[in-house]
Each structure stands twice: as structure tokens, then as C-alpha cells.
Amino acid sequence: MANIPDKPTLDGIEERWAAQWDSDDTYRFDASAPREGVFSIDTPPPTVSGSLHVGHVFSYTHTDTIARFQRMSGKAVFYPMGWDDNGLPTERRVQAYYGVRCDPSQPYVDGFQPPFRGDPPKEHQAIPISRPNFLELCDELVEIDEELFEHLFRRLGLSVDWNLKYATIDERSRRISQRAFLRNVERGEAYTQEAPTLWDIDFRTAVAQAEVVDRSRSGAYHRIAFAQTDAGPGEAASIEIETTRPELLAACVALVAHPDDERFKPHFGTTVKVPLYGQHVEIRAHELAQPDKGTGIAMICTFGDTTDVTWWRELSLALRVIIGRDGRILPEVPAGVDVAAYESIIGKYPNQAQKIVVEQLTESGNLIGEPRRIEHDVKFYEKGDRPLEVVTSRQWYIRNGGKDSALRAALVARGDEVTWHPDHMRHRYENWVEGLNSDWLVSRQRFFGVPIPVWYRLDDAGEPIYDTPLLPDEADLPIDPSTDVPTGFTADQRDQPGGFAGDPDIFDTWATSSLTPEIAGLWEEDGTDRFDRVFPFDMRPQGHDIIRTWLFSTMTRSHHEFGVAPWGHAALSGWILDPDRKKMGKSSGNAQTPDGLLEQFGTDAVRYWAASGRPGVDTTFSEDQMKVGRKLANKLLNVTKFVLQFGAPSGDRSLDDAVTDPIDRSMLAKLDAVIDDATAAFEAFDYARALERTEAFFWWFCDNYVELVKGRTYNDERPEGADSAKRALREALGALQRLFAPILPFAAEEAWSWWNESSIHTAAWPTPCGDDTTPFGDPALADVTIELLTQVRRSKTEAKRSQRAVVESLVVTAPTALHAAIDAGRSDLIDAGSVLDLRVVEGAEVSTTVTLADED
RNA sequence: GGGCGCGUAGCUCAGUUGGUUAGAGCGCUACCAUGACACGGUAGAGGUCCCGGGUUCGAGUCCCGUCGUGCCCACCA
């Protein structure tokens, strides 16, 4: 065709084809397709917090290969893109970018301009601004970041339908998030409760179990003597405990030992006096106390850790709270605690208070021996910098089986409705669900997020009545209870006794992103039947690190709302490892920028590397693999040019009639097996296997088959043979281009465009030429001739001669059974090997004798 | 402590119901300007499949165990 360039090149094809696909709407979802004709993808909305890294390129490429395969297989592919922009990451980025911080007590400033737009100097003190001003800046920055993300994803060639874009903070997401929550409230699946929870003192918000991580920190065991208040004659006068948190002595409410521990059995029910602070606490028994830990008896404080919470609750202990929401020791002296001693630690952070308390204990003689240094794991918020504290606060929860074994079992069973890729990832899900010990805490004391859509009546004293929250009508969603007024009230009743108050909190990010199927699928949005056409989704792609958060929370919401799993397949991507086998990430400072890689190697080359990582397997970052991908894409262009150059076969015959040469039929039979394998692999979400099979065949095709038959295509004296080869070459080429299209969308489209009118990405997925009952040819036949060709090549290489060197005589020894096969490739072998004389003789083993002509 | 992976050529990895002489790419070595491709081509060297048992006619593949390595969870007085 006329469109073949003289010099095929990969340079610039990304911009050209991305623009073409955009203007042609190549990837637009057919909204009229029936459910069974749809392949729907619950795309992970990336956190928009500044920059993309190689991990994004890796996992999004995997999904895209599946999307492209399904599209070519005839499905209407529903492939949306969302931005997860609500929540803490955005707040943090806004603070860092503009040099501000949110202070809800500040008044709104109309037309506020931040002091900086990007990179405030280090010494800059963040200026406090009102919540509405802060939210405006969030909206502004999110828009900038989202443009960068979209640009990269387009450059990466994702076949997303960009008309299906959403953001987790946009109006639709807020409406759906609030609607789903209100349904949970109505059905009793969501509830509010005042209880001790893990609390980040810097972000000043509660955090959920799923967001807690352990980090190793150094600490010390302090052995402390508690005086017994009612020791009998001759008994030890004190009981010693060990603790890593002596600063919590003032919060001590009991000591606890195991009920079977003979050492302490006599003391259960007696009391001791807490050093320094003087409060009397009882010695209690509880199964959770471990005889082999420390001295075998522990102090219970309200609250040092989550075990304390359990003890406090189950033993019905008193409450002595000393740590405030800002992490400092509270000014109020707890009941029974010595005022003078307590005053010395008021206002201190725990680590500061610990120093003071240890000094005081040393002076008082209650510290036994030297503190013993240890390394131990401490709970942190995954985004936080200081250890979590336990703070009592009122929060909203959604039931997730953490406190209900029947629900837990039901959610585990939902996991069985999903096909996991790879299968072993299901264990991570089950493991997590079975290990839950609390409900899902969804409220956060933050600013940029979906508001919790409830108000509370205030009693005559102005205290909220939490038991009967005031709920909005669904028709009014989304609402913001801090500005909207509940039905039956007027704005001037806000925060007045007898009036109402809005819930000040927002939802955690996961509470909204757990609804991505509903958001992308327009669940119960007016004027659309979209949801019925896409839900349950076919595919949920995501990283295995967020099984416990995103995957599980989505499952929970779908279980409550619809009673089904939200997708049929969950495809888990692995990590990127740097060459030292460590996880690559921003934190380790070794992340390559995706833009740089795409620029340096080309998109297809980077995608090739990504697609060579097996599903769910951690994959080494490898520029070498990208070079291989570059080479492959380049080869695809060049072999296309070469094959098309031969021209089309004459006549208009069927494939079966046109391809007469057994060697050609053998090649196409081999191709059939590849098509079958690649198709099965893609259907099973194994893009890597599909690529591997296709690639292996492709190189065999280029290096052996094309070399073998090219002489025949030039041979005007054998038009039948030439036509057979040309037809077979084109058949294989078209199939190969389509097999590669999901992985190398740009090179495949470029090569395809030289001889086809419409996009390869909407072309039909290739099907085999033959079938099981009537194979198109004998796949092994061509191998016989190619083995002989290889031996001829070897002779030339060993003689250090050019492959073009003339073979004066080639004598092939082979058993009679192979003679027919050798004969089938005889003329091709003579052409490809530059053989003057070929003789075949009978012999048990295959061997060749090659006699090269002298050099000129 | 519990769960789940992984250990095959110098490197990165395939190896699908157990079956002739264990594969690929990169790298390495030697060679080749041959009708598209030097971002090319041809060929070569290179492996006690972590180790030890067992099942089997036959084990890289199945079973048991050891070691190494990674992730998740629990415990963290």
C-alpha cells in the first residue's frame, strides 16, 4: 500500500496516535450494550497527591492490556478513570504547596490569595486560614494535579474512556457516598458510638484498624514497685511491674495478672498504691495477662494500648484519662491522683513526661534497677510520624464483621464469589477478615472530604442528642451539615440549646472510594440505567497492599447494599522492586519518573516491561527489559514493511485455497496454537503469558519462516508458490499485529495503519485458521526444514563466512520417514541457504554435510 | 507465634494435569554489510533446577522436612 514509510520509526508515534484515538473516540463505551456484552472495570482511582511513579505505569498497563483484549474480543469495555482527591493526602499537599494550614476558627476571607504557589521556603510558618478558604485551595490544587495525571495516562496509552471521569470529591461522589451511608444508617449497618479509639495526635483524627501499621522503635522496660496497701505480716510489701510507658502511671486504674498465676492468686482483689500519684488500684485477674511477659503482672492505664481498652471494658474499670487529643498531658487532674505530682507533667508530650516521671521514680526509690533498652513495635497511623495514642471520642462506624462472627463469615463467603488473580491472593483477604476485631471507623476529624450528612438535636443544655440523628432527604444530597439546615429547623437555631448542630466530621477516603463501582456506574443517579449494565463489575484491578482497605471495604459496602460481591474477578498487581530487591517507592528515593522513561524508551517499550511481570508477582525494575521491548516494537514495524513490500497475492481466493504450500500451512498451524494460547491467557487475565507466547512465535516467524520463504515470494517462475507465501505472510502478520495490540498499542496501530483503514484496537481479535478436527497444517513440518537451515547456517558461521556464502553441495542424511518433509521444504531451503546442490540419503540419524563454495 | 509467596544459567525469569538431551531474553564470546530492520543478523559457551528424605518405571514438577528470602497478620506489660 501507499502508506508504508521508507524508514519506519517509533519516534513520535505516541503523540500522533493518542491524538487520533482521542478525536476518533476509539475507546468510547457503548452505553447501549446489554450487560452480557459489557466488560466493566472498577479502575483504581489514584491518589492525586503530586506525582506518579513507576508503580502506576506498571499496574495500569496490566489493566489496559486486559481492557484492550476484551474490546477486540467484541465487548463494550467500560473503562472509567477516577481521581481519589479527597482526604488527608490532598490536605497535606495543599499545606505544603501553599504554605497554609486549616484552622476552622478563622473567618472566611473573600478572594483570599495564598502566600505561595509551590515550594514555600523552609522557614515559612504556615498561616492559618478558614475551612472554606482551605477547601477552595484543595479544589484548585487538585485540578492542577489531575491534569498532570491525565496527561501521563494518555501518554501511557491507557484505553480509558475519558468521558467516564470522576473524582471522589466531586458532587456525584459526595451524593453517592452520602446516599450509601444513609442506607447503612437506616438498616442499622452504620452507627455512632463514643469509645476509645486509636488517634493520631498530629492530624488530630481517629484512624481505622486498616490504616494502622507497626513500626519498630526503641524503648525501655522500667521496673516499678507498687506498695501493697494491705500486706499481711511477713509478706512482701510491694508488687513490681514492668512497663515501657511509665509516664502513664497517673492513668493507672488496676494491675492485672493471669487468673491461673499462682504468684498472684493470693493478691487478686487486694489493692496497691500507685507510686508518685498515690491512687489506690485493685489487682485483677484476666486471661489476656501473660505470665511470661515482664514480671507477669501488668499495669492497666486508660489508655496505653488496645489491650488496655479490652481490660478496661471487660473488667469495668475506672477511667483516668491523661492524654489529650493533641497528645499532651491534660490539665485536669484525674480523680484520686496527687495534684502536686501530676502538675509537673501537665502540658508535656508523652516522651517529655516520661523523662520527668523516671527522675521522680528514681528519687522516690520506686524504680528498681536500670531501665532495660529494647526495640519493639509501636502502632502508627500509616501516614503519621508519631505513635498513635488511644483517645475516647464519638465516631461513626460501619459494621464489617469485626464484632459479629456471622457477618464476618458472610464476608469471607463473598470472597469465594470472586475469582482471584493470582489465586493465592484470596488468602490475604480471608486472613484479614478473619482477624478483624473492631468495626470500620469511617469518621475523620478532618476538612477536605465528604461531610457526614447528619445533624443532631441539642437538648436544653445545648448538648447533642446522638441517639436520634437528624437525617436529610436523599433528594437533597449532597449536603453539608455545617451550612445546610435540617428539615423543621431554621438557620438561627444552629448550635443553640433546643436547636441543632451539624456533625463536624468528614468520611475517611476509603468510605467513599469503597463505592467506586457505584460512583463510576451511576448507581441510582437520575435518568440512567448505566448501573444495571455494568454491575457487578467484571474486573477489579488493584495492588495487593490495599486488599485490607480498598478491596475489603468495597466488598463490605456491596454486601450491605446489594448482597453480592461487587466484581467477578480481582486482579492483583505486584510491587516494583529496584535492582537491589527493595520495594521501589517515593519514600526510598529511588523512583524513576515515568515521563522520563516513556521519553527515553518509548511507551510500548515501557509497557512491554510492565507486561512481562506476571500477575501479582513483584517485578524488578529493568531498563534492559525496556530495551528489549523497544527492539520488539521496532522489529514489528520493520517486518511489517518487509512483508507488505512483497505485495498482495493475485486473485481473490479463500485462505484455504490460496495457501497451498505445506511449509506455509505448517507455519499457520503453529500460529493457530499461539492464538489459542494467547486468547486463553488473556481470558484468564494473564497478559504476561499471552505476551510470552506471542513474542516467542514472532521471533521464530521473523528469523526462520520469513527467511525461509522470502526467496519464493520473489520467484516469478512459481507464481502459485509465491502467492501461497504472500497470503500466509499477510495472514500471520495481521494476526501478530493484533496479538501484540494490547501490549504494544502504538507500534501495532502504526504497522496496522499501513494496510488497514480503521484502528487495530477496534479490529476483531484473531481466530485460528484451522480447528482441532481439521488442523490447517502440520505444525512440526516446517521445523524439519528449519533445522536443516540452522545446520547450514552453523557451517557458515563456523567457517567464518557470510550467510550469503554459496553452498556447493548439501548432503542430508535422514531416515526415510523424514524424506517427504524434507522434500516439502526443498526449494525454500535451496533459496534460503544459497544451496547449489541438495541430496538426501538414507540414514538412521539426521545429519548434514555442507560443502561451501570458495570465496571469490 | 499464625498465614501466604519465592529459591531453575552471571542477571531477570518461563517451565500448565510428573514423560525423550531443562528453556527464553539480557549479558558474554566469535563471526557476518545478506532484497525490512546495525534499535540488525548467524552461531557458541554457560545449569548438582537451595539442601535432605520419600512416592514412582520416571521428579525442576507430587509428599515430608531443613535452610535462605520476602510480604501480611497477631503479640508487643
Side-chain angles (χ1 to χ4, degrees), chain A residues 89 108 153 224 253 304 316 378 383 408-409 609 723 764:
Chain A
Y108 179 72
F153 280 154
I224 298 170
V253 293
S316 303
V378 179
K383 298 185 176 74
R408 197 180 314 152
W609 159 72
D723 274 349

Side-chain angles (χ1 to χ4, degrees), chain A residues 13-28 64 68 154-159 604 607 741 744-750 759-761:
Chain A
I13 61 173
E14 288 93 349
E15 280 76 10
R16 191 146 39 87
W17 287 113
Q20 187 73 42
W21 297 332
D22 194 33
S23 70
D24 289 352
D25 250 344
T26 306
Y27 307 121
R28 182 184 279 274
D64 187 58
R68 288 180 181 278
R154 284 178 181 270
R155 180 82 163 73
L156 185 57
L158 298 189
S159 60
D604 283 343
R607 288 175 61 106
L744 313 172
F746 293 100
E749 183 77 305
E750 173 74 9
S759 172
I760 193 171
H761 300 297

